[in-house]
Amino acid sequence: MFGYILRRLVSGILVLVTVSAATFALFFYGPSDPALAYCPETRCTPERLAAISDQLGLDRPVVEQYGDYMKGIVAGDDFQAGAISIACDAPCLGVSFKLRLNVTDYLWGRFPATLSLAIGGAAIFLALGLTLGVSAARRRGTFSDKAIVSSSLVINAVPYYLLALLAYLYLISEWSIFPASGYYSPFSAGPYAWVKGMLLAWIMLGLVYSTQYARFSRGSMIESLNEDYVRTARAKGLSERRVTLKHALRAAIVPVVTIFGLDFALLLAGTIFTERIFSIQGIGLTALDAIGTKDLPIISATVILGATFIVVANILVDVVYSLVDPRVRL
Amino acid sequence: MTESDFLTSAPPASAQQGADAAPYLVVEDLTVRFPTADGVVQAVTGLNYTLKQGKTLGIVGESGSGKSVSSMAIMGLHDPKRTDMSGSIRVGGREVIGLSNNQMQTLRGGEVAMIFQDPLTSLHPFYSIGDQIAEAYRAHNKVSKAQAKAKAVDMLDRVGIPQARNRVDDYPHQFSGGMRQRAMIAMSLSNDPKLLIADEPTTALDVTVQAQILDLLQELQRDFDSAIIIITHDLGVVAEMADEVLVMYAGRGVEHGPTRELLTHPEMPYTWGLLSSVPDVTASTESRLLPIPGNPPSLLNPPTGCPYHPRCAHRDKVPGDLCRTELPELIPGRRGPAHLKRCHLANPDMIYETEVLPEIAPDLVELVTEESLEDTSDPRHPGSPENADQIDTPQRRAPDPDGEVK
Ligand SMILES: Nc1ncnc2c1ncn2[C@@H]1O[C@H](COP(=O)(O)OP(=O)(O)O)[C@@H](O)[C@H]1O
Ligand code: SF4
Ligand SMILES: [Mg+2]
């Protein structure tokens, strides 16, 4: 198990190196000069452009810049930008071109909003999705099963951003049922304000994801309800509740855990639409803004962060698998 | 038990004492249908049988003949929302058709227990063997977890798992196939059931393990005095285990009688087919393995008349078009009231001896012919076991005739 995790970590690091190199390459070899973004359009002389490039360090060879970047992640770095010096301890993800801020600290400050969004949303879609899926599976073929499946398909067919936008327009702007958005209050400042600020985003995220979880867990549950061991459980004289929960659901939940691990990692990497529409200052919105301003250090950092979550989630899913299923040995 | 043993060994002690006791299980006119998108599956139609405490009924037939469906009905394992059931099933005098799920729970795993074909898929892969046995025990007894665990060790020991105390926490995948089936048996016997239904308990196991499991079942039956229904498509298993045999085809009983009588004097062409498709490993090389041609009929749309007629080689011997137009009743033929058959043939004995037996077991013809001459000269003892003792029948535990082995 230990050796397995170690091997997975090593290959995970290789993935991260590749991902960050690809981001760098896209940035530098992409269609436009990154320094242009910082050069005022009307007065952008070649000299000025060169100065900006020099100041941002963009004129150095790409490989050297990449090397520095990697070194900063492992060992930390200090940045001199004109008169100001910015300390950046490992893992140093660079200094924002535009904001002149230590990117690690900056993202760290943005992360709680995204984490809150992910936890609340996941709690809703897991609870809702599993409940609907399991009850649909138990009533397979009946009216309530069909109602659950078809309403989930309908909700899924509407693009998410449209649903979220409509919710914003009506529930916040028009009818003021929910507080004006852009309001994230950290949990430490009181759970009530925290919930109030996030509730609508949670509901939207939870609702849309729950449709997939309902259908997925329904399928998985139908399969496990047909298993011989569920028949054995029933033949033992167990209550229907125990048969469903302890025997069928226990097996049906395993594949759900797998996709949940990856979905949750993606949520932690930032939910761009949700954060944008409800103006939640999280990782997703940060990444979106950084792409607009061609702020390489922030873009790279959000990409590496997202990739890290996915790599870690993959490992965790495998570990959980081996804990749930005694046949799996790592 | 070897083949000749089953013919010579004394009947079980319980055979005498249970002779006039009321049957523990009564199945009357049982009909089970599944409405599906493609139509109604007529899985079981008008099935009748009874079973006394301490006795064993063997149910045989190709796969899809309704053996499992009819037996699962006894435990109420069919989803009532998806199943139409009629007729009567009385267990210990109590009607079970129509019982609610809750009322059924005391019966399931308590008075009636079941062992399934594939012990690997029938045990939950995520729970230890001991936990699964303890759970079955606790479902019917108010005991602590520790007591239930001790019971699990006890039961595993009882069914011959070596070092049961150490193996009780193993998971099913850590057991061999035979040990898993032993564990299933331990689980099903943990509440001293009065009726044990074994649905092809050895089909998934290899031959030597099969014999051990059957021996174990017999031994436990003696200890617990339970009634056993053993479902199989292996006539060798039936010969070894069963007091009575019920042959099923297309959801109906087609021949029914005491084991020796039925196996030595089968009266229904389908039973002949089953007998001839059993490979006889010890018999002379002249004997041939003849699988029944064709396939079992669709139960969505069963054949008219005798359900076996599309495959029956003897239907021309019945005058008129009776085989195709009229369903024969399951009634006694000429061999006494205990031997029932569902066939229009007037003289099945003669056809069996002159046409069927020479094909499947030439060396037996003489013996059986002699015996049947005796029988007709002494009509008071039709098919008496004393006569049957002398002959050898072509049954053996062997790969399934219809290849259902997994
Ligand atoms: N739940 C069900 N729904 C529809 N058809 C079924 C169901 N269970 C069994 N059947 C059908 O009933 C017939 C008898 O099945 P079964 O009793 O399992 O046969 P076997 O004699 O091999 O045990 C088969 O044709 C099978 O496909
Ligand atoms: S009734 Fe006719 S078709 Fe059916 S088994 Fe007898 S002879 Fe064959
Ligand atoms: Mg079966």
Side-chain angles (χ1 to χ4, degrees), chain B residues 219-372:
Chain B
E219 189 185 311
L220 296 168
Q221 180 176 35
R222 274 197 296 279
D223 297 353
F224 291 89
D225 194 37
S226 5
I228 293 185
I229 294 178
I230 185 152
I231 298 172
T232 177
H233 34 231
D234 184 340
L235 288 167
V237 171
V238 163
E240 184 169 317
M241 300 279 298
D243 300 297
E244 262 184 48
V245 187
L246 170 65
V247 181
M248 285 188 71
Y249 187 77
R252 293 179 191 270
V254 295
E255 189 158 10
H256 188 174
T259 305
R260 290 173 202 176
E261 158 64 20
L262 192 142
L263 292 180
T264 51
H265 294 89
E267 294 196 278
M268 153 89 193
Y270 177 61
T271 313
W272 301 344
L274 288 180
L275 281 167
S276 48
S277 59
V278 177
D280 184 350
V281 278
T282 57
S284 69
T285 46
E286 286 162 69
S287 69
R288 285 198 273 147
L289 180 62
L290 304 168
I292 306 175
N295 291 308
S298 153
L299 296 179
L300 281 170
N301 193 5
T304 57
C306 168
Y308 189 55
H309 87 257
R311 301 168 76 186
C312 182
H314 304 279
R315 60 170 183 257
D316 300 338
K317 302 186 179 78
V318 176
D321 208 5
L322 227 50
C323 289
R324 213 172 48 75
T325 57
E326 200 170 311
L327 174 72
E329 304 241 9
L330 184 64
I331 46 169
R334 292 205 285 190
R335 298 194 53 84
H339 187 164
L340 311 177
K341 51 134 194 174
R342 191 189 285 283
C343 175
H344 291 306
L345 285 175
N347 51 352
D349 267 12
M350 210 189 77
I351 298 172
Y352 183 63
E353 280 151 28
T354 57
E355 291 183 35
V356 183
L357 212 47
E359 283 278 297
I360 61 175
D363 43 340
L364 294 185
V365 177
E366 224 169 291
L367 278 166
V368 174
T369 318
E370 271 168 27
E371 188 211 345
S372 68

Side-chain angles (χ1 to χ4, degrees), chain B residues 17 98 102 105 158 174 229 248 250 253 267 293 296:
Chain B
Q17 75 196 25
N102 280 345
Q105 269 170 38
R158 182 106 194 230
Q174 293 167 304
I229 294 178
M248 285 188 71
E267 294 196 278

Side-chain angles (χ1 to χ4, degrees), chain B residues 113-155:
Chain B
M114 195 154 180
I115 312 171
F116 301 99
Q117 172 173 341
D118 186 345
L120 180 59
T121 59
S122 298
L123 288 164
H124 201 297
F126 296 176
Y127 297 111
S128 75
I129 299 271
D131 281 350
Q132 298 189 51
I133 298 175
E135 188 183 36
Y137 188 56
R138 269 163 66 87
H140 300 275
N141 296 277
K142 288 224 172 322
V143 293
S144 70
K145 286 194 171 160
Q147 284 168 306
K149 181 80 166 278
K151 174 77 177 181
V153 174
D154 228 41
M155 290 308 299

Side-chain angles (χ1 to χ4, degrees), chain B residues 34-36 41-44 61-70 78 82-83 199-200 231 233 248 297 299 402 404:
Chain B
F34 302 108
T36 67
V41 179
Q42 306 182 22
V44 176
E62 289 166 299
S63 69
S65 49
K67 307 184 295 294
S68 301
V69 168
S70 57
H78 298 299
R82 263 177 269 280
T83 315
D199 191 349
E200 313 208 20
I231 298 172
H233 34 231
M248 285 188 71
L299 296 179
D402 59 1
E404 216 185 58

Side-chain angles (χ1 to χ4, degrees), chain A:
Chain A
M1 173 116 153
F2 223 73
Y4 172 81
I5 293 177
L6 206 67
R7 280 199 305 282
R8 289 292 303 266
L9 281 176
V10 169
S11 69
I13 287 169
L14 287 177
V15 168
L16 294 181
V17 169
T18 315
V19 165
S20 58
T23 315
F24 252 76
L26 269 177
F27 187 78
F28 282 97
Y29 302 118
S32 75
D33 181 352
L36 264 178
Y38 299 91
C39 194
E41 248 173 70
T42 44
R43 291 167 286 128
C44 192
T45 58
E47 295 76 39
R48 191 161 180 150
L49 196 62
I52 288 171
S53 271
D54 178 53
Q55 202 189 11
L56 297 178
L58 294 171
D59 52 349
R60 292 179 302 143
V62 175
V63 176
E64 194 186 313
Q65 290 188 51
Y66 182 68
D68 280 354
Y69 187 71
M70 286 288 121
K71 206 176 93 205
I73 291 177
V74 179
D77 207 346
D78 277 322
F79 286 84
Q80 289 302 141
I84 22 171
S85 128
I86 297 169
C88 186
D89 298 330
C92 172
L93 294 166
V95 167
S96 157
F97 291 165
K98 182 161 178 144
L99 305 166
R100 301 280 149 180
L101 285 170
N102 174 331
V103 172
T104 312
D105 292 346
Y106 180 64
L107 287 184
W108 189 240
R110 292 294 181 98
F111 187 62
T114 294
L115 182 65
S116 301
L117 186 57
I119 288 177
I124 292 180
F125 71 66
L126 261 191
L128 194 62
L130 277 174
T131 310
L132 289 176
V134 168
S135 41
R138 290 186 59 187
R139 294 169 183 73
R140 184 183 32 167
T142 64
F143 176 76
S144 45
D145 175 28
K146 285 174 188 152
I148 289 171
V149 172
S150 45
S151 58
S152 118
L153 286 171
V154 167
I155 293 176
N156 237 247
V158 184
Y160 173 58
Y161 62 85
L162 196 61
L163 273 181
L165 215 53
L166 287 173
Y168 175 83
L169 274 178
Y170 284 96
L171 301 179
I172 294 178
S173 300
E174 198 76 5
W175 302 329
S176 310
I177 295 172
F178 288 89
S181 55
Y183 179 65
Y184 164 70
S185 161
F187 185 74
S188 52
Y192 177 70
W194 179 66
V195 169
K196 204 170 137 206
M198 295 300 257
L199 193 57
L200 186 57
W202 283 343
I203 291 175
M204 292 318 292
L205 204 63
L207 182 70
V208 170
Y209 270 83
S210 74
T211 60
Q212 295 163 31
Y213 276 76
R215 273 175 295 143
F216 192 67
S217 55
R218 175 184 177 273
S220 177
M221 190 71 184
I222 283 178
E223 211 171 288
S224 78
L225 280 171
N226 275 326
E227 292 283 358
D228 288 352
Y229 53 75
V230 169
R231 181 182 60 185
T232 307
R234 205 168 271 130
K236 283 200 248 187
L238 303 182
S239 67
E240 207 46 39
R241 186 186 158 79
R242 201 172 165 93
V243 170
T244 315
L245 297 183
K246 191 171 172 215
H247 290 261
L249 184 60
R250 171 72 192 265
I253 201 117
V254 173
V256 179
V257 165
T258 312
I259 57 162
F260 174 71
L262 299 181
D263 276 349
F264 195 69
L266 286 173
L267 288 180
L268 288 183
T271 46
I272 292 180
F273 282 134
T274 316
E275 291 179 15
R276 176 76 189 80
I277 289 168
F278 299 103
S279 304
I280 294 166
Q281 301 292 320
I283 304 287
L285 199 53
T286 306
L288 194 65
D289 290 345
I291 290 167
T293 55
K294 297 210 168 68
D295 199 341
L296 173 67
I298 292 184
I299 297 173
S300 304
T302 53
V303 169
I304 289 179
L305 194 66
T308 309
F309 286 136
I310 289 169
V311 164
V312 171
N314 264 307
I315 298 175
L316 281 181
V317 160
D318 282 357
V319 170
V320 168
Y321 233 105
S322 79
L323 295 179
V324 184
D325 187 340
R327 292 168 300 182
V328 178
R329 287 266 149 273
L330 295 183

Side-chain angles (χ1 to χ4, degrees), chain B residues 6-29:
Chain B
F6 100 79
L7 293 167
T8 52
S9 62
S14 54
Q16 285 91 15
Q17 75 196 25
D20 41 39
Y24 180 68
L25 172 68
V26 179
V27 174
E28 252 172 34
D29 198 23

